[in-house]
Amino acid sequence: MTRRPVLGIDLGTTYSCVASLDENQRVSVLPNQEGDLTTPSVVFFEHSGNVTVGKFAKNELKNEPGRVVSLIKRHMGEEGYTVDVDDKELYPQQVSAIILRQVVEDALNVLGLEVPADGPLADVVITVPAYFGAAERQATRDAGEMAGLEVVNIINEPTAAAIAYGLISSGGERAVLVYDLGGGTFDVTIIKVSASEIRVVATGGDHQLGGADWDARIVELVCEKFAEQHPGSDPRTDLDAAGSIELLAEEAKKALSRRDSYSSTVIANGERAKIEITREEYEEATADLIGKTLDFTQDVLGHARDKGVDRIDEFLLVGGMSHSPAVKKGLADEFPDLPTPQLADPDQIVAKGAALFAANSVAESDGDTSTAARGLPGGAALPKIVNVTSKGYGIAVVRDSRKRDDHDLVVAWLIKPNDEIPARPRDTFRTIHDQQREVDIAVYESTTDMLSVELDDNLKLVEGTLSNLPPGPAGQPLEVSFNLEADGILHITAVAGNGEKIKLEAKISGLVPEDVKRAPLPALQR
Amino acid sequence: MTGWRFDATRFVDEVLKPVQDGWRPDEDLFRVYLLPHDVTDQNTVETALTEVGRQFTKQQYRGFRRATEILRGQHKAASETLLDPARRGAHRSRVEQRQRKLAATMRLRLHDAPGLPPAEVAAQARTLKVPRSAILAALEENGVGERKPVDLPRLAEPGQWAEARGHLVQLRHDSLWDYLSGLGGLGTTERHLTARREKLRVARSSDSAAETTLLRLVQGWLERGDLADVLRHEVVSHLLDRAAHGYAEAVEAARAAADRLRALGIGTDPTAVAYAVWCDRQFTAAPAEPSWQEHYQQAVRDLRLRTALTILEQQPALPDEWSRRRAELEKRLSELDAELDRCRELERTDVEAAVAGYHRVREALADDRIDTALERCRPAAPPSAKAVVRDGRVVVTWAASGATAGRITYRVSRGDTVLGESAAGEVVDPDPPSGTPLTYAVHTLRDGNPSARAARTEPVTVLGEVLDLEVRGGSDSVSGRWRLPDGSIGALVTRHGATVRDTHSSTFVDHDVRPGETYDYRVRARYRLPDGSAALSDGVVRTASCQEVPVGVTDLVAEFDRDDLVARWTPPPRGDVELLELRAGDDPPAPEVVSVHQARRHGTPVQAVTLTGRGALRGRLSAHGKRQTIVPVTVLGELAAIGTPCVVDARQSSVTTLRLDRLGATVRLTWEWPRGTTAARVVWRESVKPAGPTDPQASSLDITKVGYDSRGVSISVPEGDYWFGVCTAQTVDGALSFGPLALRRESTTRTVRYSVKRAGFFSRRWALTVEDDEPPGVVVVAKSGVRPMDADDGEVLLRVDGGEAASREFEVPRHLRRPVHLRAFSLDERVVLVPLRPDHQIVRGA
Ligand SMILES: Nc1ncnc2c1ncn2[C@@H]1O[C@H](COP(=O)(O)OP(=O)(O)OP(=O)(O)O)[C@@H](O)[C@H]1O
Ligand SMILES: [Mg+2]
């Protein structure tokens, strides 16, 4: 029996891509059934209950936009979020599972393999934005399992890009800035790459910023222009036209990467208008979005500088939006001292890196180190991967220990953004009252990569009470240790002087219910 | 049954669109959840909250993504407000207070009219940033509503209408309608007109002329068939005029004209017409037609007093007030005419005084006569002018003219070329022709009107400098080039005062130079003056030095990686390194510094296939499967340094799948031979990687393919840590050359099997069994969801020292999220642990 295929999957907000190693151990992207190298991450729910994924699903935006689900990755791991199609509620994990199932079935097809009757379809590594927290990562893993995949690992998109990039180019240790502007998320990461190690130095970004926001700006432009020709008429209020306009917006955006103007006809509310958008108008309407990415890039460069990286040897542009000339220009203008930003196979590099990683992990877990080494071009072993956290973790303590006010609390940070993971810091805290027998431990996570000590700015992950402290005057020590695993899950232990102990685990929000997780997926259709 | 129903259209128009456009949903939660303000039934509120809440993630509202996100974000807070009767009440009073305010605003806008037209409702909604429905509600509060006005005929003013109006006024008729009613009314025909004309012939009065003209105009309209339109225009503009005073006036006027409106087919309901007229006045800004008064005013403003007088004279029956104005105007004009005559007289004796006088009159009167007179009164030329050459340009100065009246400026010209106008006493000729005598003329200008004569300068000659001078340092010389300015016949070049001999009319070369040294060159243009004498310009100075010499690369290493060539070298301090593929059959060039051009003749550059950094390149060669020489060339400016070449052979590619197996005291090596290779070299070293095939510190063994196939390769090495390298070998021109080295490490290791199992049925404990007589030290590591990659990658559950019992039990803690992957690692580097059943190592339940 042949081994299960080993795949790397870039599950993107707008496009997904699958890669694997071929018989010559070269990494290549597997085309889908339409022969395209990337598949739109779009699902169309038919009346019959069947579903369609990809290009044809996206095309249904023109006919039945209400039955088409897109941009689901933006809601992965979001507490209480479901999409509503046909009065059925679907969890983001389910929609992602459908996409994964389809792209993997297509990949099997290209590899000439049957879809097995039972058991996992493939061993896969799925990528996520570096900015994803524990909940989003768990949701991605669950989606993979619901699609019938053996999820070997979840790795960061920029890391995958660096693996794919790092292994095709050689040389000594280099600092690489990866600017990944995709369809839904923006990541900027600084990575040190050498033959023995890929080390993430600093990372930042915004997972609500991506090509879709550029598309939305174009939709606004289109609506303004439509209203100029038909005063008082807003095409968005024509729900049947919304999907076509969304498609048109993306098409316009892509065209404006190459051309100076784009024109098309919009029909909405029973009226038609010929709309022309120039590149200048487009760039003006979206300049602030690019500006945001520049700010994030500055911040991350700052973090990297704090960690001693003051030279960038390579500046990689990843993600489909990087095709846009305005991005490259904005970066070159803002960072004249950095190397010229280079487009690095922006649509496929992430999937390729995932495939390399997957091949290596699987070979390694089979106990066959020689295949693992052979699994990579050049016969080199995969470098060790060192990651960082994008968020901070800490516990609530009194603001001023002399005032002993139990209600005036601030966060004491044990783990800071861009600390290496796994991170296992510990710190000693003290009781504030005499004869204090109990202490509340509340654990907080920062919401961004900037830290604030105020409780309200942060997210409470979990809390618990450690009782039976030894009696004594104020100032009894209490040791708190954190353990942040590579999978982004935090374990907390607090130990009192007398050995009393409490262990907490940060709960993951936004999980898909067990019964939904076990329910079969709807039938896929082409 | 709550009776509440979700209304999708209303939800889009009143909620999604306004929110998308920036309306804050918390300003009116009743609106967001499609609830009446006075809702009290808790059930209804709950239904609405659930139903509307569900809309936020519906895909059909994808065009309003921003709005749905905002609404989703505030849903929880909104639910709390709406479900709590007290807070709902407070919210309601805030909403209603805002509505009352809006109603008051609308009242002001209405001016007692019975409504607003739809376009105006939309416009108000836009400016006040509220939804349409809020405006409608505010109108309702005022007892009115949205109301579409009836269509009014939109007619352009008929030709000669103003004239007709004039005649009607003279004939003391309010309107044409009024006048025609004395003929045939709306049904007036040619016959009526003829009859009336006959009548006028027999009874002539002062008004006859006016009436005959009017009849002629009416006849024209009749012939063109637009008499009815003229009448419609008349009544509509009359109503529009009245509507300007307010809605009430419009209604009154429309009522009075009810018959006319009906007869002309404009409308049967005078109030409807009044509303339409009022809307038109209020909300559409149409430019009003100028009347004779406006023409008059405009003429007065433009000081065209004669025209203004003509307008008044042409008006029949000027009202008293206006007759008085006419008399005043006549008087003023005759005063001004007298003043003009006086100035004319003065021209003969004192031109400046005359001009000043004309200017005064011109402030009150626009008249061609004044302009002609001013043109006649030319200013005096400047008494003298002077030109001097300064820095290749000519500066012209002059003494002021005696002219004082008006704006006095000067114009400087050279031949036909005007150089500029200036009020100051100096103009610079920025680009004078060189080598020829130049004279400049200066005219005085009064308001742009030039003096009859000009002041002229003495001739000056400019010796212009050479143009576009460039001096460049080459490898062994400095050369210069320039353009000669017009008029120049050559150039003189000096270096630190001494003439450079090798000088031509627009170039020079100086070979007498040392690399790295800096020289100053002065280039002067040579002229032949009209008197036959020669002259030199001051000259332009440039500094140049001989170029820095690039340094060649001496440590280029290149090898093949599949089809790609991978090269590395130490980057030289300055300059860019190019790799050239030596032309087939050529000998490698000697390492020397030559011109870039010469260097590149040795071969074609290697094309890079990926991003490459300094000191490295991955590229493709133009021809495959051959032995090739790669020449590194350091390019610095014009010069290139040829470095030490490196020979690569595509056949000399790396061996693959190198594998080491220890068999007792020997290590057996196996690998795959690249196609076409016949010999290989094996090198090995203890603990360190061999530096290359010829590493003197390493042991080596040469082997042929034939030998490998028959005997294999086994090397005796004692136990320990060794690095082995294998590369292909080939004899080229008598010298041995090697392919890239494939490296592997061999540490005396042994494989030990282990298993992890539940200690017993239903036991929560697990057991580790290591199948070896001398078990190594072992750690068992656990990790949620993924296999641990090394002993540090996860939580350590068990640690057993070397030589201890081979079977031990442990527990998998509950805080580890299931599934938990277990894996044992050896603490002894020389032992590798391999699981018997990898699939048994995942803990799923307790
Ligand atoms: N030529 C182009 N010009 C401009 N934009 C482009 C071009 N090609 C693709 N895009 C845009 O790039 C985005 C897709 O990029 P990509 O596939 O990298 O994102 P993704 O992986 O789906 O999303 P993410 O990484 O954020 O989860 C889309 O918004 C797409 O419209
Ligand atoms: Mg992506």
Side-chain angles (χ1 to χ4, degrees), chain A residues 81-132:
Chain A
Y81 185 90
T82 51
V83 283
D84 205 305
V85 179
D86 255 353
D87 290 334
K88 274 212 301 280
E89 295 186 339
L90 289 155
Y91 285 84
Q93 288 91 329
Q94 287 174 287
V95 179
S96 291
I98 293 170
I99 297 168
L100 286 169
R101 179 84 190 187
Q102 181 70 64
V103 296
V104 170
E105 282 191 7
D106 280 6
L108 260 52
N109 195 22
V110 172
L111 295 172
L113 301 173
E114 290 290 321
V115 173
D118 58 359
L121 266 64
D123 287 347
V124 302
V125 164
I126 308 177
T127 61
V128 296
Y131 220 66
F132 261 21

Side-chain angles (χ1 to χ4, degrees), chain A residues 26 61 65-66 68 70 78 81-83 87 138 152 165 168 220 234 236 246 364-365 489 505, chain B residues 17 20-21 54 57 59-60 62-66 72 562 611 618 657 785-787 815 817 823:
Chain A
R26 280 183 187 235
L61 278 174
V68 179
S70 52
E78 187 174 328
Y81 185 90
T82 51
V83 283
D87 290 334
Q138 187 58 43
V152 179
Y165 181 76
I168 54 167
E220 274 166 31
D234 183 339
R236 287 173 306 198
E246 194 175 316
E364 186 267 354
S365 73
I489 296 169
E505 182 177 337
Chain B
K17 183 168 156 48
Q20 181 91 11
D21 293 341
R54 283 183 42 185
T57 55
Q59 299 300 304
Q60 56 257 49
R62 58 195 323 125
F64 296 104
R65 222 167 239 136
R66 184 170 60 222
R72 215 157 61 77
R562 296 175 204 279
L611 313 171
R618 171 176 281 265
T657 60
V786 252
R787 276 180 68 92
H815 71 260
R817 207 163 33 80
R823 194 167 168 198

